[in-house]
Amino acid sequence: MTSCVETTLVELYADIGGPPVGTALACVGSLARRELGPRSDIDLVLLHDGKTMDRINLFAERLWYPLWDSGVRLDHSVRTPAECADVAGRELSAGIGLLDLRTVAGDKELVASARSGLLSAWRNNARKRLPELLASLDERSQSKGDAAYLLEPDLKEARGGFRDMSMLRALSATWLTDRPHVGVREPYERLLDVRDALHVSSGRALDRLVAAEAPDVATMMEFEDTDALHREVSLSARRIGHAVDLTVRAARQALPERRVLSFVRRERKPVYEQAPYGLIIHLGEVGLDRTTSPAEPLLGLRAGALAAQRGLVLSPVTAENLGAQASSPASPWPQEARDAFYEMLSSGANVIPVWEALDLAGCISRWIPDWERIKAQPQHNPVHRHTVDRHSVETVAQAHKHLTRVERPDILLLACLLHDIGKGPGAGLDHAEIGAPIARRAAEAMGLAAPDAALVERLVRHHLTLAELATHRDHTDPATLDALVDAVDGRQEVLNLLTRLTESDARAAGPAAWSPWRSALIRALAERADGLLVGEDRTSSFVQLGDVGLARSVRLDGKPRIRLEPKPGGIQLVIAAKDRLGLFSETAGLLAAHAVSVRSAMLSTAGGVAVNTWRLDKQVAADLPDLAYLVKQL
């Protein structure tokens, strides 16, 4: 494609009498990188020395018009080398693009001189431009998301896409760092192949892998199905995104600091901290000292635990060596291996980059062989924002705040990690049932005692039960409570674990999965079940404490009643209405629609009237909707 376009441009330049000296047709973008796609734009620069402006404008018209008439998507400019340098200095995106400037036809020395000047200016201004470059990376990642985990990734703009490869080239051009030489080019070319197939299948310049085009792209590229296509895109984008993270980190560390001028010669030695087990910490990275062999079975777990707990990253060389040489712990795992594993998982959000580095190196699948079944596996529910494996790790990170609130934080972490292990290819809606025995097998391989492995299996099997009962069943129906009590084996500590797992899972999925409405329903049902398990008759005690007069008034005229009660922890609403299926969920939704968060809820019925108490996060009545309005809505 690139050679065909270039040949046409060279012929056009010659046909219209393009001068060999003082003027050149140059290219940037995908044409300059020889990565042109079927529907890519052609980015051209007519470069001139500025000596014959009248002639160059006429020549430009003769050059552009045939291209426009042919229907080519053309982005063009006419500039001198000085004007190129000026634009590059003012606009970051233009400056990065001009680093690829390459001759198509005409004066090669003019183009080479212009490109040399652009590269020199880029390097000399590295201190100034690097913060701007990194800010643009963060902004684009926030707005476009991560191509490795999106259901419809933007192959060009999202993290791990083509723009990130341009950023890698720009960062290496500063001479502050070098881009990774291994593991980047192949996934990048794979994404280019997907883009080319997407252009052909859609018939337009489409860079987002939308669901409607994915089947045709998968067929064209001879993938088994669209899941296999998405998995390939995810793995490729992960490699590129990880390479960008490492390169950015190296660039920040290499950026020269401003120092006070001194004539005293000082010998600079590397500064590192010696850590246990032959590990060292240097420049924010965990590595191995000279005497430590990466083949030691527990070293990967210990390095991951140290990096995650300290908020550091694994040295790229260390991660690569661990992936290539480290063996798995003995099966079942010794206690030291489990301790290091739990230490890594209990580090909150810090576990995510460490886990990703170990996963890319191949360590995770060696420790948990069944992890491979969900690695880069796409989700089929729009509520989810991540692939199955990333969602599982995000769930572990979300569980961090619950670790001091459960009796077995180790079981909670393991259940969070393995709760979706059954979502392999073809699992469908039965992934919890499929994943439960897989989770137990993994727990046993890690050396958990039989009762603990059985508990992990139970939590994985029922990780959706609480949410489904809370949002689809009547809380006042005894069968609802019976189903939940049966799911937790009648044990309060298991109910607590399941409640924390449910919240962590929902928060990791996305805002839609843990809305105020859903959280209120889940917490209310869990609280009712908890009261039942500890032997409290919450319904009868509440009816005695609640306003029996409210219930009597509702029975007389059928109209709902609401009483507001200020409490130390926030306002409490007592709402009485004729009991009906869905009343509780409708009330929760009504409060959520007015941005009122529910801290807890207690339900009861008396003579066909539901009298429910809602503890809210609001402190003053003025922050609530008008009570008469709420009554009308009920």
Side-chain angles (χ1 to χ4, degrees):
M1 178 70 70
T2 299
S3 60
C4 179
V5 171
E6 281 198 48
T7 300
T8 302
L9 291 173
V10 170
E11 292 174 353
L12 175 60
Y13 188 86
D15 290 344
I16 62 176
V21 178
T23 304
L25 179 61
C27 60
V28 293
S30 57
L31 179 59
R33 297 188 297 271
R34 295 183 171 86
E35 298 166 354
L36 207 61
R39 297 282 178 172
S40 296
D41 294 351
I42 297 178
D43 301 311
L44 299 176
V45 179
L46 184 58
L47 200 65
H48 63 98
D49 55 15
K51 295 179 180 179
T52 54
M53 288 300 299
D54 293 339
R55 183 170 59 84
I56 203 67
N57 289 332
L58 180 61
F59 179 72
E61 291 182 2
R62 296 173 62 194
L63 182 63
W64 305 143
Y65 271 104
L67 296 175
W68 288 331
D69 292 341
S70 68
V72 169
R73 293 167 55 92
L74 180 65
D75 187 2
H76 61 88
S77 60
V78 180
R79 293 189 178 120
T80 64
E83 289 170 339
C84 288
D86 179 63
V87 171
R90 288 185 288 105
E91 300 177 15
L92 179 65
S93 59
I96 293 173
L98 284 168
L99 295 177
D100 295 325
L101 191 70
R102 184 171 66 83
T103 305
V104 175
D107 193 340
K108 293 183 179 180
E109 292 185 2
L110 180 65
V111 177
S113 175
R115 187 169 186 271
S116 177
L118 290 166
L119 285 169
S120 178
W122 181 255
R123 292 171 188 136
N124 292 337
N125 292 311
R127 180 191 297 275
K128 174 184 175 183
R129 303 306 294 268
L130 186 60
E132 184 183 5
L133 179 66
L134 300 183
S136 71
L137 263 173
D138 293 339
E139 181 181 354
R140 182 164 48 81
S141 179
Q142 289 292 327
S143 62
K144 300 297 183 180
D146 196 325
Y149 308 113
L150 294 172
L151 296 177
E152 293 187 337
D154 188 325
L155 303 177
K156 184 176 183 179
E157 300 291 346
R159 179 181 181 270
F162 305 141
R163 290 286 188 205
D164 273 7
M165 282 298 290
S166 297
M167 290 296 183
L168 280 177
R169 286 188 290 269
L171 285 168
S172 62
T174 63
W175 287 358
L176 294 174
T177 182
D178 193 9
R179 67 179 179 181
H181 295 286
V182 180
V184 176
R185 188 66 205 180
E186 184 177 347
Y188 178 56
E189 290 178 350
R190 197 61 170 156
L191 289 184
L192 288 174
D193 291 341
V194 174
R195 178 210 60 184
D196 291 349
L198 183 58
H199 282 191
V200 173
S201 69
S202 65
R204 53 198 174 104
L206 184 64
D207 292 317
R208 183 180 295 278
L209 184 57
V210 296
E213 298 294 340
D216 289 341
V217 173
T219 300
M220 192 176 301
M221 297 187 67
E222 299 183 348
F223 283 105
E224 182 179 351
D225 52 26
T226 56
D227 280 2
L229 167 65
H230 280 291
R231 189 172 189 269
E232 184 69 27
V233 169
S234 175
L235 292 174
S236 298
R238 289 184 195 196
R239 290 284 181 187
I240 296 171
H242 186 61
V244 170
D245 291 343
L246 295 177
T247 306
V248 165
R249 184 177 182 83
R252 281 180 168 143
Q253 293 172 349
L255 192 65
E257 299 178 359
R258 297 187 182 277
R259 297 185 177 90
V260 178
L261 183 63
S262 173
F263 296 98
V264 179
R265 183 176 180 179
R266 296 185 178 91
E267 185 178 354
R268 299 177 62 190
K269 297 181 179 180
V271 178
Y272 64 88
E273 175 187 344
Q274 186 69 49
Y277 308 112
L279 300 172
I280 61 171
I281 299 173
H282 176 60
L283 295 176
E285 296 180 349
V286 173
L288 310 182
D289 65 22
R290 294 180 179 180
T291 62
T292 304
S293 169
E296 202 275 317
L298 302 188
L299 195 59
L301 291 165
R302 286 167 170 164
L306 176 62
Q309 285 293 326
R310 299 280 290 270
L312 308 173
V313 298
L314 288 175
S315 159
V317 175
T318 296
E320 183 179 347
N321 287 336
L322 289 172
Q325 301 181 43
S327 57
S328 299
S331 183
W333 289 12
Q335 184 64 47
E336 295 87 345
R338 291 196 300 277
D339 289 345
F341 192 59
Y342 293 141
E343 188 177 353
M344 177 169 59
L345 295 183
S346 65
S347 60
N350 290 341
V351 72
I352 296 173
V354 175
W355 188 275
E356 183 177 69
L358 291 168
D359 196 14
L360 289 173
C363 294
I364 303 300
S365 295
R366 188 180 303 139
W367 298 336
I368 310 173
D370 284 305
W371 189 260
E372 196 66 26
R373 64 184 286 117
I374 63 169
K375 187 174 181 178
Q377 183 69 17
Q379 302 272 11
H380 296 284
N381 187 334
V383 168
H384 282 279
R385 55 185 173 180
H386 297 120
T387 54
V388 178
D389 59 333
R390 177 59 180 266
H391 167 72
S392 300
V393 181
E394 291 278 351
T395 303
V396 171
Q398 289 290 340
H400 178 261
K401 65 180 180 181
H402 300 300
L403 298 182
T404 59
R405 304 170 186 173
V406 295
E407 294 183 13
R408 293 294 304 273
D410 54 337
I411 297 295
L412 176 60
L413 290 170
L414 199 54
C416 286
L417 183 67
L418 301 175
H419 76 281
D420 274 348
I421 197 70
K423 276 190 176 178
L429 299 176
D430 298 327
H431 75 273
E433 194 66 33
I434 294 172
I438 298 174
R440 178 167 188 157
R441 183 169 66 240
E444 290 173 343
M446 292 179 187
L448 270 70
D452 291 344
L455 178 53
V456 172
E457 180 182 18
R458 176 176 290 275
L459 290 170
V460 171
R461 176 173 283 113
H462 293 290
H463 74 270
L464 299 175
T465 299
L466 175 55
E468 290 176 349
L469 291 174
T471 57
H472 294 94
R473 298 275 290 273
D474 182 2
H475 291 202
T476 61
D477 185 351
T480 302
L481 276 179
D482 290 344
L484 180 55
V485 170
D486 182 64
V488 299
D489 196 29
R491 296 156 58 190
Q492 186 185 22
E493 67 274 15
V494 180
L495 173 63
N496 192 21
L497 285 168
L498 182 61
T499 303
R500 308 299 178 179
L501 170 59
T502 301
E503 179 176 344
S504 301
D505 181 18
R507 287 186 182 276
W514 191 249
S515 63
W517 172 76
R518 288 177 64 88
S519 65
L521 293 176
I522 289 169
R523 286 168 176 165
L525 182 59
E527 188 172 334
R528 283 176 64 86
D530 183 69
L532 182 64
L533 293 176
V534 298
E536 295 179 3
D537 187 353
R538 295 200 169 199
T539 299
S540 60
S541 64
F542 175 74
V543 171
Q544 293 172 5
L545 294 172
D547 194 336
V548 179
L550 283 181
R552 184 181 297 113
S553 298
V554 172
R555 281 197 297 271
L556 288 174
D557 60 14
K559 296 180 180 179
R561 300 290 195 280
I562 299 179
R563 188 179 71 242
L564 185 149
E565 300 175 347
K567 296 290 182 180
I571 288 175
Q572 176 173 288
L573 288 184
V574 180
I575 302 177
K578 281 189 174 181
D579 195 18
R580 67 177 188 277
L581 186 64
L583 174 63
F584 182 78
S585 60
E586 290 174 8
T587 307
L590 178 61
L591 294 172
H594 290 84
V596 178
S597 296
V598 178
R599 301 177 63 183
S600 66
M602 295 180 61
L603 297 80
S604 68
T605 56
V609 176
V611 184
N612 301 330
T613 300
W614 301 81
R615 296 293 298 272
L616 311 178
D617 66 343
K618 304 298 184 183
Q619 300 296 324
V620 294
D623 293 334
L624 295 175
D626 183 69
L627 296 187
Y629 170 79
L630 293 178
V631 168
K632 184 177 180 181
Q633 294 300 310
L634 292 171

